[in-house]
Structure formats: structure tokens, C-alpha cells
Amino acid sequence: MNIDLLVHGGDVLTVDEAGTVVHRGAVAVHEGEIVAVGPAEELCTRFTAAQAIDAAGCLVLPGLVNTHTHLAMTLLRGRADDVTLQGFLERVLKWEAELLTPKNVAAAVRLAVAESVRAGVTSALDMYWFHEAAEQAAREAGWRLHSGPTFMDVPDPADGIAYEDRMRWARRDLEARGPARAGRRPVVFAHSAYTLSPDQLTEVAALAREFGALLHIHAAENPTEVATVEVRHGKRPVELLDSLGVLGPDVLLAHAVDLTGPEIATLARTGTSVAHCPVSNLKLGCGIAPVPRLLSAGVTVGLGTDGAVSSNTLDLLAVVRQAALVHKAGGDPTTVGAEQAVRMATIEGARALGLDVHLGSLEPGKRADLIVLELDRPHLTPRHDVWSTLAYAAQSSDVRDTIVDGRILMRDRALTTLDEAAVLKALSDLEALA
């Protein structure tokens, strides 16, 4: 059988339910879909590939899924460090008003895509302004970006569209997108319970459900946010969202750091997922999300980098390591183990987006989002356990090849769909004007 691509010779970590590892394995890809996973000897005989990648000495695994970020914030990297969340927001809103245009967002997203591809991240959920420009930049690079209309009832720092007009504009945007398709679904973003009223939150959630969209919202990021919402609305963020009927299996909360036991039970009862951003949360002094308790309750938890202005990098492997380490500070080294952390960056991240049927593991019928990570390096030798190697030792610089939807976006550490020098110059030019 003729196929488009065969990645062969490396150990294949499928991240399927059983955690199958195929030693000296191969992944066969045709028309953007994985058609077979198995021993390289068998698949090399069975298929004739237009392109082949020799992955000997490497690990082949699903591309990483970033479940919460603000990609165009690469433009502000390093400009709001060592401040509280509230101080951070004050600074960022001011700069956004000065800098954000569709052209600048597109340039900043190209930089974010280049950084993400190098780090083995093959898709991201991106909440930000001028999402059309961001999506166009990602589409040109062949990268999987999940985005859509964002609602925030404050003076808009970017496009000047008031809430009422934004609702009409968002409806047109969602109608133009059409229904979900393999590896993609509509998304609606409600910024938070402190920037939207209860009526607005209800209306935005209804809009998302009308179009079968994922609803993504910041919630319970730190105690100050929780107190602000409680003073304004008489309920904590998760309590408020639950009372309004907003929570559900089509909802993904960003952060969820400051949670009570009953709120964790509420998230489990409603099937609401969480995007865990430990690097950003630590840097902003927000605290540590109760991920072990969320997992024990059955809540789906994915991993996110947050924006590059709060986390400074879009390195999701660094987030994997932090997620596997930070929860052990309570004294239990068995909590959030290596395998769990890797799963949160792959199949659980895809599940949080409602896309686990198409993404997050290397199985026939899924979209061909995969990476090749070079293993023959001193810091990865010896290798007694593949999960531990990934969670505790691997670095983003170990990623050699990145493939999205069967298209090679990086080969032998060279980007193939982006002019990296031009991307860097464009951001340098913008920064000079800032």
C-alpha cells in the first residue's frame, strides 16, 4: 500500500490506554491520519512511503497539547516579571492597548508557533484578541491552533468591540466556521467571572453550546481573584459558574488553583475539565492547584504554559517536569507520577479539549500529530523507564522532528514551514517600536 509518510526504527510510545511501547516500531501516515502502528520490520514491508523518517535511536510519541495559553503574548515576554497576578494584569492591559493590532498579533503568533514546534507542541488552545489573525498565521505554518471569540466586559484593549456587538460578531464567526471536524472544534472564550457579569456568563455559555463549542474560562487563579468574585457576586468563581449552569463536560477551566473540597466535587460531578499551569502559577505567586485531589475525584486535567509573559516560555516539557515535581512538595513522592504528567500533556490534554478521539495518542484512525525525540544524549542515558525519561530528564531541545496532521513542520531541528530568521526579525522590529 502506498502512503505519505513512514516514521520508523525508534521506540514508539503510543500513550494508548495500556501505555504500549513498540520497540523498534513505526507509525504509518496517509492523508494526515495514522493508518498503522507496529513493529518497523512489519510496516516497512507492508507500506511504500513517499517520505520516510529514520527514527533509530529516538523516541516517537504524540505531539504535546498545550491546553491554556495566550500565544501573542510572546510580544510582551519579560515585561511583567516578579509581580502579583493583579499587578501583572494592570501592566499587561496597558501594553496591549498600545501594541495589539492584527498585524502585530500575527507576527507574535508566528514566533510562538516556531517556539512551540521546536518544543514538540503540536496544538494549543489560545485565548486572545484578533484570533482571526492568529489562526491565519498558524494555518500558514500548518500548525494546529484552537481559538475563537473572546468575551471580556471591560474597555477592550485591542479591537474596541463592545460586549453587545461582540456577541453578534461572535455568532457570525461561529456560523462561518461550521461544525467540528477531525482534530478541531469551535471554541468560545469567556475571560473570567470578574470581567463578565452573571448574565453575560450565562449568555456566552449558551452561545458556545448552541454551536457545540468548547467553553474556556479563567477561574480561581489566586485567592485575590476568588475574593473579588465573592464580594461582587456573593459566590466563589466555581460556585457562581455552577449556580449559573455554566459548568459541564464542554467546559475547560484555566488554573483552578484556589478550590475547596466541595468545588472539586462539583467539577467532578459536572464533568468540567481543568488546564493546570504550574509554572505560571508559581511565578505569579498564585499557589499550587490541588491536582492530586482533582485526579482522585476523576476530573480531567491537561497542562498549559499560559502566555509567554507570565511563564516566559512555551516549553510544555518543562511544564511536564514541574507538574511531576511540585505536588511532591507535600511530602508524598508518589503523587502525580511521571506517567501521569506525560499523559496530562498528551491524551489528557486532548480529552480536556474534547478531542481525544482524534488527538493525544498514536493509534490508527487518529490525526498524525507526533514528534521524534532524540535519545542518544548524555542526560537521557541510561533509560530504565520511558515515562521517567520524558518527565524528569527530557528537554525541549531534544525534539528533532515535529509533524502535524501528517505534515513535517520540523525535520532534523530545521523548521520547514516558517522562515525563522524572518520571524525573529519581525518581533525584533516590533519590540523596537514598543
Side-chain angles (χ1 to χ4, degrees), residues 242-258:
D242 186 40
S243 72
L244 297 173
V246 170
L247 300 180
D250 52 356
V251 177
L252 174 60
L253 303 185
H255 304 299
V257 172
D258 192 324

Side-chain angles (χ1 to χ4, degrees), residues 193 201 217 219 236-247 253:
L201 289 166
I217 181 170
R236 293 164 55 89
V238 171
E239 292 174 336
L240 176 65
L241 295 173
D242 186 40
S243 72
L244 297 173
V246 170
L247 300 180
L253 303 185

Side-chain angles (χ1 to χ4, degrees), residues 277-353:
C277 305
V279 173
S280 176
N281 294 157
L282 288 172
K283 184 164 173 280
L284 290 170
C286 293
I288 301 172
V291 168
R293 294 165 63 198
L294 287 166
L295 295 173
S296 294
V299 176
T300 296
V301 179
L303 294 181
T305 59
D306 211 349
V309 68
S310 63
S311 65
N312 295 75
T313 80
L314 302 175
D315 184 349
L316 200 61
L317 268 177
V319 176
V320 169
R321 180 177 296 110
Q322 191 66 258
L325 291 175
V326 70
H327 302 287
K328 304 181 194 305
D332 181 2
T334 67
T335 191
V336 188
E339 180 174 347
Q340 182 66 62
V342 173
R343 286 184 175 277
M344 287 194 291
T346 51
I347 187 62
E348 295 304 311
R351 184 168 289 117
L353 300 182

